[in-house]
Amino acid sequence: MPKASSPRRFVLSAVCASALLATTLTVPAAFADGPARAVDGAREGVTAQACASKIATYVHDVSGEEGVLRKFLDWDPLTGNATGALHDTGVSTPLDTYSRFFTGGQGIIYVVTDEGALKTYKDNTATGGALLTPVRNYGGDWSNYATIVSGGANRIFALTYTGALDVFSIASPESGTGAITKVKTVAATNAAVIAMDRANDVWAVGSKIYTLRRGIADRLGEVKQWTYNETAGAAPFSADTVVVSRVDTKTFTGWSPGPGTFYTVGATPDHSGVAESYTGSGLAEIANDDVGSGIYGDVHADIASCLASPSADAKPVFGSVQSEEPAPQAVTDGSPDPVPQNPAEFTGKFTRGDGSPAAGLPVRVEAIDITSESMEEKELTTLGTAVTAADGTWKISLPATLPNDVQEAAAANGGAINAVAHVDGRTDSGQLMRGTDFVMAAPASAPATARALVASAAQDDTPSKLRPVTDAMGQESEQPNEVQTAYSWASENELSSRDTLGEQALPEYQSDTSSLPQGDPYIVKGVDTKAMDIRPMDGGCDKTKSKVIDTQIRYTAVVEGHAAWDSKATVEYDSKLATNVEVAVKTGSNWTIEGSVTLGSSISASTGYTNKGPHFAKQWKVPIEYKKIRETWKCNYGKDTYYRYRIQGGKYKVPDGGAVGKYGKDVRNKDGSGGYYKSPHSHRAWVARGSNFQLGKNRSVKWAGAVSAFGVKLGSSTQYDSDHKQRITAGNKSNARHDIWGKNDKVSGKPGVFYSF
């Protein structure tokens, strides 16, 4: 387990130190690893004396505000998951950030509390019980130990902060209730103990202890194996150690499910939480460089004394097998595409900061795709005006004849017109308030794909708030560079290998240089403007001028595929009009999402992945050019000038020497029996052996964290059609059917995405 914090060493999981149990010294005749035993569910049903083909693996995740213990299931640990995976079971339980844990095998989990007490728990989740079922409170004070591990047998190895190694015996290790007795102290001068003290991580399998020390600069790190011995008169560790593998500078964490396999995390340039496995002769061979994702924190497995591979036809099921529910065979829906509703209208709703309607305010809609590509300032073209109704809603029809520049921009965008709706007003206290909403429309002459995408985007048309225009907006803002934006919440989230946001709403306010901003932007000079009445402003504000001040090409999630047991996933994405991407506006010092734009092209380029799997599920990303645009407008009869900034997606654009598409975030945690058994029965279906099923109409789910551009997170969704698909192809294994289920609806309806089991 990673060492506790101390001035001498870096700690990946940032957990605190552990402590010493006062015990009597009793030296046993010999050290024994102990046989494999029945595990009461921690090894998911392994019988007595059987080698384990699936191993529970636990991660103490302290990346959030509260610590959480998460359970994964190692499917086919013998081969290091050459054809299996480290599955997220979806099971978790709180575990204090400053507590530590290690495993003893056979479903027993040891926890050292923040106060230093040692407690044992049993994992009873496989039989419907708790992940941490209390067994015994040993008490004591283990806070003098920097590292504590067990090899899954009847020994605990505990390294003190002064560098000595205390060894404890465990009576009845399978129960978690037996006495814990110190049997030996190995001096700090021992070579193995020195290696443990210097290591970035330490773990054990039976009597073998492994030390991981990451590489430094251009020198590779290494994993060493040390064999512990209690034979009378013998040295506690052999003088000859074994270097089992080399690791790079980013590797900090390691663990093993049993003999012959170990895993590491952090061996990617961005600490993305992707695990890789080592097996083979001397444990030196990488078996799978993407065993699982989202592994952040201290990791220990329910160690077995021997490992086996599951049956070739075995379908991974976590916990108890539930009875099969009636479900239809999945067939591609042959019904006609839905008819878009009113795609030739811009619509929206404006509210005050507290959500109440902003009524009686003038609205101006301006085309935004006409902004010059040459970074010259250009006045936006007005497409219509309106006044908000009593409920804050407004509606503007497209002009019968579009201005030439708008026609040209729409033609280059697959037929869709992107626009911005502005509304301005003042409170009784004189505070200027402005609302912004990015909207879209498509004339009757536009291609059906454009009209369908516009109609589907209208389903997400949430109200837009009027926000205070502060004094700071009266001057141009110095824009941060990429080094500064790398510290933003959005940029840090982008480094995660797993989609941690899903469809959840993004924060209302984002900073482009730091973690989520604090404070209420509606408090202006000590006055709360959220609920104030807003009336039309005398003189109003003039037409908006815009100028591109910077561009970035960022890979953006546009589709995802899923292929669990015995299946393959394929996704196809064409650069023709298909995707909506959110637009961010900088209000004061914070960025907010204010609607979205449709992204299309007059040319076609296809990309995606084909027949990936089994145990595979990833998003696919394409390169899109994002613009940072400075807006300028004058209010109060031209007396006051204001500047605002927006981040807006543009065209599919491959960077020089860049990839035409990339694998995105890992979404394997959505698949498997856990999600399937929780899904509504009406969403379920199955795919016949050797056949395929695909989504080719309606809209995908919305990926909240589709991209980070200029340090700000934006969401996206894609319209499925003949050029944009999610497909699964089932294999020919005969012992079970291949099940799928829709996220939001039955798979032949509007599921958004389907998952695999």
Side-chain angles (χ1 to χ4, degrees):
M1 75 189 292
K3 294 189 180 75
S5 299
S6 80
R8 296 183 299 159
R9 52 177 73 97
F10 174 85
V11 188
L12 178 64
S13 58
V15 291
C16 324
S18 179
L20 175 63
L21 174 69
T23 59
T24 57
L25 179 64
T26 305
V27 181
F31 174 75
D33 287 356
R37 297 178 175 86
V39 297
D40 295 336
R43 293 184 197 143
E44 304 287 333
V46 178
T47 58
Q49 305 299 320
C51 293
S53 61
K54 41 187 175 178
I55 296 288
T57 303
Y58 309 96
V59 180
H60 187 200
D61 186 345
V62 296
S63 59
E65 294 182 1
E66 303 292 338
V68 176
L69 186 68
R70 305 188 187 281
K71 180 179 179 180
F72 291 73
L73 194 65
D74 189 344
W75 184 261
D76 192 14
L78 178 65
T79 69
N81 290 291
T83 59
L86 195 64
H87 297 278
D88 186 346
T89 66
V91 175
S92 65
T93 193
L95 181 60
D96 182 74
T97 298
Y98 298 105
S99 293
R100 293 188 294 165
F101 89 105
F102 60 97
T103 53
Q106 299 143 93
I108 300 300
I109 299 172
Y110 294 82
V111 173
V112 179
T113 68
D114 185 22
E115 294 77 19
L118 178 66
K119 298 180 178 181
T120 52
Y121 297 85
K122 183 81 167 182
D123 175 6
N124 287 327
T125 55
T127 55
L131 178 56
L132 290 178
T133 303
V135 175
R136 179 173 175 178
N137 183 354
Y138 286 91
D141 181 10
W142 289 69
S143 57
N144 291 333
Y145 291 119
T147 299
I148 311 173
V149 297
S150 171
N154 55 3
R155 289 294 181 273
I156 292 175
F157 303 96
L159 184 71
T160 68
Y161 280 105
T162 58
L165 181 72
D166 287 340
V167 182
F168 297 87
S169 70
I170 313 168
S172 303
E174 71 280 0
S175 70
T177 61
I180 297 177
T181 307
K182 186 162 73 174
V183 298
K184 183 183 287 289
T185 296
V186 184
T189 55
N190 183 277
V193 178
I194 292 173
M196 294 178 212
D197 186 55
R198 294 176 177 176
N200 295 98
D201 203 3
V202 179
W203 66 93
V205 179
S207 60
K208 292 180 173 57
I209 296 178
Y210 295 85
T211 58
L212 181 156
R213 193 170 188 187
R214 69 182 181 91
I216 300 175
D218 58 351
R219 189 178 74 223
L220 288 175
E222 59 189 12
V223 175
K224 290 184 176 181
Q225 173 188 293
W226 310 81
T227 302
Y228 174 69
N229 187 4
E230 282 182 5
T231 303
F237 291 97
S238 170
D240 297 325
T241 187
V242 178
V243 177
V244 299
S245 189
R246 300 290 182 180
V247 295
D248 69 14
T249 59
K250 304 299 182 182
T251 305
F252 287 97
T253 301
W255 73 95
S256 177
T261 300
F262 76 89
Y263 300 90
T264 62
V265 166
T268 51
D270 54 12
H271 294 284
S272 61
V274 175
E276 61 184 14
S277 61
Y278 293 78
T279 58
S281 176
L283 293 174
E285 301 171 14
I286 295 181
N288 189 335
D289 62 2
D290 190 3
V291 174
S293 67
I295 315 296
Y296 305 101
D298 193 12
V299 186
H300 294 279
D302 187 57
I303 306 166
S305 60
C306 67
L307 301 174
S309 286
S311 167
D313 281 346
K315 184 176 184 179
V317 177
F318 315 142
S320 57
V321 179
Q322 298 186 22
S323 60
E324 293 281 5
E325 295 288 344
Q329 180 178 341
V331 292
T332 300
D333 185 7
S335 62
D337 291 335
V339 178
Q341 299 297 313
N342 300 320
E345 290 182 338
F346 296 108
T347 61
K349 180 178 180 179
F350 285 107
T351 70
R352 304 173 191 168
D354 63 356
S356 60
L361 300 177
V363 180
R364 182 198 301 270
V365 173
E366 299 170 313
I368 59 174
D369 285 340
I370 67 169
T371 300
S372 173
E373 298 287 343
S374 63
M375 296 191 177
E376 296 179 354
E377 191 168 59
K378 185 177 179 69
E379 187 176 90
L380 300 185
T381 301
T382 298
L383 295 174
T385 59
V387 175
T388 57
D391 62 354
T393 60
W394 59 271
K395 181 185 300 183
I396 296 174
S397 297
L398 275 173
T401 302
L402 294 172
N404 290 336
D405 55 357
V406 177
Q407 290 186 48
E408 292 173 3
N413 195 44
I417 299 169
N418 294 309
V420 59
H422 290 299
V423 62
D424 304 286
R426 283 192 185 276
T427 66
D428 291 337
S429 63
Q431 174 62 51
L432 173 61
M433 308 291 286
R434 167 163 265 215
T436 304
D437 190 8
F438 289 87
V439 292
M440 61 200 75
S445 59
T449 52
R451 289 182 284 117
L453 189 60
V454 167
S456 68
Q459 300 171 18
D460 282 338
D461 195 12
T462 55
S464 296
K465 297 178 180 179
L466 274 76
R467 306 180 194 275
V469 176
T470 63
D471 294 341
M473 294 178 67
Q475 56 188 349
E476 293 191 69
S477 171
E478 182 178 349
Q479 301 302 307
N481 57 39
E482 289 203 41
V483 174
Q484 294 169 313
T485 60
Y487 291 95
S488 74
W489 169 81
S491 298
E492 291 178 357
N493 179 270
E494 194 73 5
L495 297 179
S496 171
S497 61
R498 180 185 294 191
D499 180 14
T500 58
L501 298 175
E503 296 180 82
Q504 73 184 53
L506 289 171
E508 185 171 2
Y509 301 102
Q510 297 184 52
S511 167
D512 53 10
T513 58
S514 65
S515 59
L516 293 181
Q518 303 296 315
D520 187 341
Y522 283 95
I523 306 296
V524 181
K525 297 178 181 179
V527 178
D528 189 346
T529 63
K530 283 194 292 293
M532 285 186 172
D533 289 335
I534 303 173
R535 53 178 171 77
M537 183 172 56
D538 293 341
C541 296
D542 67 7
K543 297 175 66 173
T544 309
K545 295 179 180 179
S546 68
K547 178 181 179 180
V548 177
I549 60 172
D550 201 358
T551 61
Q552 289 182 348
I553 296 176
R554 290 292 184 262
Y555 287 83
T556 305
V558 291
V559 69
E560 72 179 53
H562 291 261
W565 170 82
D566 191 32
S567 63
K568 304 285 187 180
T570 297
V571 298
E572 298 177 11
Y573 185 82
D574 192 300
S575 66
K576 291 184 295 185
L577 190 76
T579 296
N580 298 321
V581 177
E582 291 177 329
V583 179
V585 172
K586 191 170 187 178
T587 304
S589 60
N590 298 315
W591 291 89
T592 60
I593 301 299
E594 301 284 11
S596 61
V597 294
T598 63
L599 306 185
S601 175
S602 58
I603 60 175
S604 176
S606 296
T607 181
Y609 55 75
T610 303
N611 291 333
K612 299 295 293 183
H615 307 295
F616 177 93
K618 285 192 176 181
Q619 296 170 352
W620 184 249
K621 302 192 298 184
V622 299
I624 290 175
E625 183 179 56
Y626 290 86
K627 301 175 183 177
K628 181 180 282 188
I629 298 170
R630 186 194 68 196
E631 297 177 350
T632 306
W633 75 95
K634 294 180 182 294
C635 302
N636 192 21
Y637 299 103
K639 297 177 182 178
D640 300 318
T641 300
Y642 294 99
Y643 299 96
R644 187 167 55 189
Y645 300 86
R646 75 174 185 262
I647 298 170
Q648 176 186 331
K651 299 293 185 289
Y652 172 86
K653 188 174 183 179
V654 180
D656 294 342
V660 298
K662 289 183 178 181
Y663 291 109
K665 293 191 181 284
D666 193 302
V667 285
R668 281 177 287 188
N669 62 310
K670 306 292 186 182
D671 292 331
S673 61
Y676 179 78
Y677 290 139
K678 293 177 183 177
S679 68
H681 293 169
S682 61
H683 292 193
R684 301 176 187 174
W686 53 275
V687 184
R689 285 187 286 274
S691 71
N692 66 68
F693 172 78
Q694 70 181 27
L695 291 182
K697 65 176 57 178
N698 297 311
R699 193 177 55 155
S700 75
V701 292
K702 181 179 179 180
W703 297 283
V707 66
S708 176
F710 298 102
V712 177
K713 186 68 71 174
L714 308 173
S716 78
S717 65
T718 290
Q719 187 75 14
Y720 293 122
D721 54 38
S722 60
D723 297 310
H724 310 90
K725 308 183 186 77
Q726 177 196 354
R727 179 187 302 133
I728 190 170
T729 302
N732 292 300
K733 293 183 178 180
S734 59
N735 69 320
R737 71 188 190 193
H738 196 96
D739 296 286
I740 61 175
W741 72 100
K743 166 67 171 65
N744 299 323
D745 191 8
K746 60 184 179 181
V747 297
S748 58
K750 297 181 179 180
V753 66
F754 65 81
Y755 304 131
S756 170
F757 164 44

